Amino acid sequence: MNREREPIFSAKNMRLLLGPLNRDNPVAVQILGICSVLAVTAKLRPAFVMAVSVVAVAALASLIMSALRKTIPSRIRIIVQLVVIAFLVIIVDQILKAYVYEVSKQLSVFVGLIITNCIIMGRVEAFALGNKPWPSLLDGLGNGLGYGVILIVVGFFRELLGAGELWGRQVIPDSFYEAGYMNNGLMLLPPMALIIVGVIIWIQRSFNKDVVDK
Amino acid sequence: MNRNSNTYIVVYATAMVVIVALALSFASLALRDRQQANIENEMKRAILRSIGIEAQGGMAAVDALYARYIVGSFAVDARGEVVEGANAFELLANLRAVYALPPDERELPVFVSRDGQGVERYIIPLWGSGLWGPIWGYLALESDWKTVSGAVFYHQGETPGLGAEIAESWFGDRFAGKTIFRDGQFVSVSVEKRRGTEPPGPHSVDAITGGTITAFAVGRMIRESLQGYLPFIQLQKENE
């Protein structure tokens, strides 16, 4: 083959990275990975740690699977995907337990459940197994970030309105409370995460008419 | 090379699993010390909470406070004698295994605290079952071995908002000032669901609305855990 090498950040590659942040967002458009969005977003800090974990797993899983794609027997490819993803998730879980113990306790089983997050396996199956490592890395990174952005936005509003804090620090001044302002306890419960995700979808679709189902 | 032959698949799967297993064992070994330090730090934080000291800040702050307030520890056996050479902290780390033993084979840890005024308290770890999983905690006794000075409780998976409220400090605070003996008889501190508006007596506290089963389990845990310390406590009271 005498094809010219594609530039590292070609328009196509940038689309892989940035598309999932908006038009192809795994949570808001494809409605994947909702379970953990509801569970870990009551506070900003666990939401952020969870987002970083998913970005790392999604990017590395896509990279590894793409690098191995020519050697994997197709009959056991799902098992290979599971082993690689599970391996990465266990490593992430161990690192969290060693370095951010408090947050890892709040995240509890949801780190382990990254294994079953359909965003990651979906991207490996749909993209990484048929593409070169670099675009696959960008695709995994992009989808992880698309998920993480939603997590952080939801966590931001839930902690701000539910506890009057951000990152564990009080941001709503005492004078507000004295004037009769109250934290909304409902914000800390999972249903409110669903409603916030709904509002994000609403706002996004009012800007992007083309993702609205005809 | 035929990637779908059985030989290839078997060799591929075996090699993959061996490599992953090696990598995971290595990661586990490399991180174990730090993880263990985190768990011990969390236990120290909990012990401090039972004597009313909320440790703020990181691990170093907790270690410093622990070193300042916790002046000793020992373990007692079923005959009420102090076990020579027992490591109370290690027993605490394996409390689940300790309570899996028959009662007369258990070696139970006790921690001694001394505050700024030189007042000594004895901190007794608790272990029991809640509604959905294990619950545990620490009960701090005054040096008369019968007045509760404070208590904290933890749980693994009690219902959020209902049973899980046992971990909140307002529930633990209800135990402060209660006594576990009435006229020399061990009665523990029970958790009760009562009618009326009278405050609970010196040997009981109110349960949690909506979390009755877990709250009762706390009362049972306190009674059953203290039972193992009774021989030792009786000896202390006789020596007075």
Side-chain angles (χ1 to χ4, degrees):
Chain A
M1 269 204 300
N2 199 9
R3 192 158 62 95
E4 214 174 297
R5 279 184 69 98
E6 204 182 336
I8 291 178
F9 288 108
S10 65
K12 205 174 93 203
N13 282 347
M14 288 312 283
R15 209 156 48 235
L16 289 174
L17 182 63
L18 300 178
L21 292 182
N22 188 7
R23 294 197 29 192
D24 293 326
N25 190 285
V27 181
V29 177
Q30 301 170 33
I31 320 291
L32 298 174
I34 290 289
C35 166
S36 48
V37 172
L38 306 190
V40 302
T41 53
K43 294 250 185 300
L44 194 52
R45 202 165 129 87
F48 178 78
V49 172
M50 182 72 177
V52 171
S53 307
V54 171
V55 169
V57 173
L60 289 174
S62 284
L63 178 68
I64 293 173
M65 290 307 291
S66 171
L68 293 176
R69 73 190 187 283
K70 296 219 172 89
T71 71
I72 297 170
S74 61
R75 279 196 285 169
I76 59 164
R77 69 175 197 287
I78 300 279
I79 298 175
V80 176
Q81 288 170 22
L82 270 179
V83 170
V84 168
I85 296 169
F87 163 73
L88 293 168
V89 168
I90 293 171
I91 297 277
V92 165
D93 191 32
Q94 297 279 323
I95 292 174
L96 294 185
K97 278 196 181 120
Y99 292 94
V100 280
Y101 184 69
E102 283 301 310
V103 177
S104 88
K105 276 189 46 182
Q106 287 167 26
L107 292 174
S108 67
V109 298
F110 291 96
V111 174
L113 285 177
I114 296 175
I115 297 169
T116 60
N117 190 318
C118 23
I119 297 169
I120 293 165
M121 248 184 115
R123 292 323 294 168
V124 168
E125 177 78 7
F127 194 90
L129 284 178
N131 286 283
K132 290 194 175 147
W134 175 247
S136 300
L137 175 67
L138 291 180
D139 180 73
L141 208 55
N143 277 281
L145 288 171
Y147 169 87
V149 162
I150 301 287
L151 225 61
I152 289 169
V153 171
V154 175
F156 174 86
F157 284 111
R158 286 181 74 187
E159 185 170 1
L160 180 67
L161 301 177
E165 297 175 345
L166 282 178
W167 207 263
R169 272 175 211 188
Q170 189 178 340
V171 289
I172 293 182
D174 285 330
S175 55
F176 274 49
Y177 291 104
E178 280 155 24
Y181 174 83
M182 277 173 78
N183 290 325
N184 183 351
L186 186 60
M187 274 288 170
L188 298 175
L189 300 176
M192 216 52 204
L194 199 61
I195 292 173
I196 295 176
V197 171
V199 171
I200 292 173
I201 293 175
W202 177 27
I203 293 171
Q204 192 200 15
R205 291 189 182 200
S206 62
F207 284 103
N208 280 311
K209 298 284 186 226
D210 49 335
V211 296
V212 179
D213 294 331
K214 293 274 157 21
Chain B
M1 184 109 162
N2 178 6
R3 279 202 275 146
N4 280 318
S5 79
N6 285 346
T7 321
Y8 183 84
I9 290 178
V10 169
V11 171
Y12 193 93
T14 312
M16 174 182 73
V17 169
V18 168
I19 292 169
V20 166
L22 283 176
L24 285 181
S25 323
F26 178 76
S28 166
L29 283 177
L31 295 170
R32 178 165 301 160
D33 286 346
R34 265 197 86 92
Q35 293 171 350
Q36 201 56 40
N38 281 327
I39 292 169
E40 285 179 9
N41 205 256
E42 190 190 23
M43 292 192 297
K44 289 179 180 173
R45 199 184 281 264
I47 291 174
L48 289 170
R49 265 189 69 197
S50 74
I51 50 170
I53 295 164
E54 291 284 350
Q56 305 290 339
M59 290 171 67
V62 176
D63 280 335
L65 280 173
Y66 186 86
R68 185 155 103 219
Y69 286 102
I70 306 301
V71 292
S73 63
F74 55 90
V76 299
D77 64 14
R79 285 166 308 172
E81 281 161 20
V82 174
V83 183
E84 294 285 327
N87 181 340
F89 211 79
E90 209 159 280
L91 287 169
L92 177 62
N94 299 303
L95 208 57
R96 181 195 296 259
V98 169
Y99 274 93
L101 294 170
D104 50 348
E105 288 173 25
R106 289 177 193 160
E107 293 176 359
L108 300 165
V110 181
F111 295 85
V112 186
S113 77
R114 188 181 300 141
D115 65 13
Q117 285 82 48
V119 177
E120 286 198 353
R121 296 195 175 87
Y122 302 95
I123 299 153
I124 292 176
L126 312 166
W127 180 266
S129 312
L131 174 59
W132 304 116
I135 53 176
W136 61 97
Y138 300 87
L139 192 74
L141 293 177
E142 301 287 359
S143 51
D144 61 3
W145 285 100
K146 62 179 188 186
T147 312
V148 177
S149 83
V152 289
F153 306 107
Y154 296 88
H155 66 94
Q156 192 178 67
E158 298 308 303
T159 321
L162 303 173
E165 298 287 297
I166 60 166
E168 298 295 322
S169 50
W170 57 258
F171 183 67
D173 290 346
R174 288 182 179 174
F175 290 80
K178 305 287 175 180
T179 52
I180 59 171
F181 284 93
R182 179 166 52 209
D183 306 331
Q185 283 292 310
F186 174 64
V187 291
S188 186
V189 181
S190 57
V191 178
E192 286 177 356
K193 192 162 91 174
R194 298 170 313 116
R195 286 163 192 277
T197 53
E198 271 173 47
H203 309 292
S204 63
V205 300
D206 280 330
I208 298 170
T209 309
T212 309
I213 298 178
T214 306
F216 280 9
V218 169
R220 193 168 60 240
M221 165 175 80
I222 294 175
R223 191 176 65 247
E224 287 172 2
S225 297
L226 283 177
Q227 212 91 48
Y229 291 89
L230 274 187
F232 177 79
I233 294 177
Q234 301 285 14
L235 282 178
Q236 299 308 304
K237 293 165 80 78
E238 280 165 26
N239 290 345
E240 268 170 19

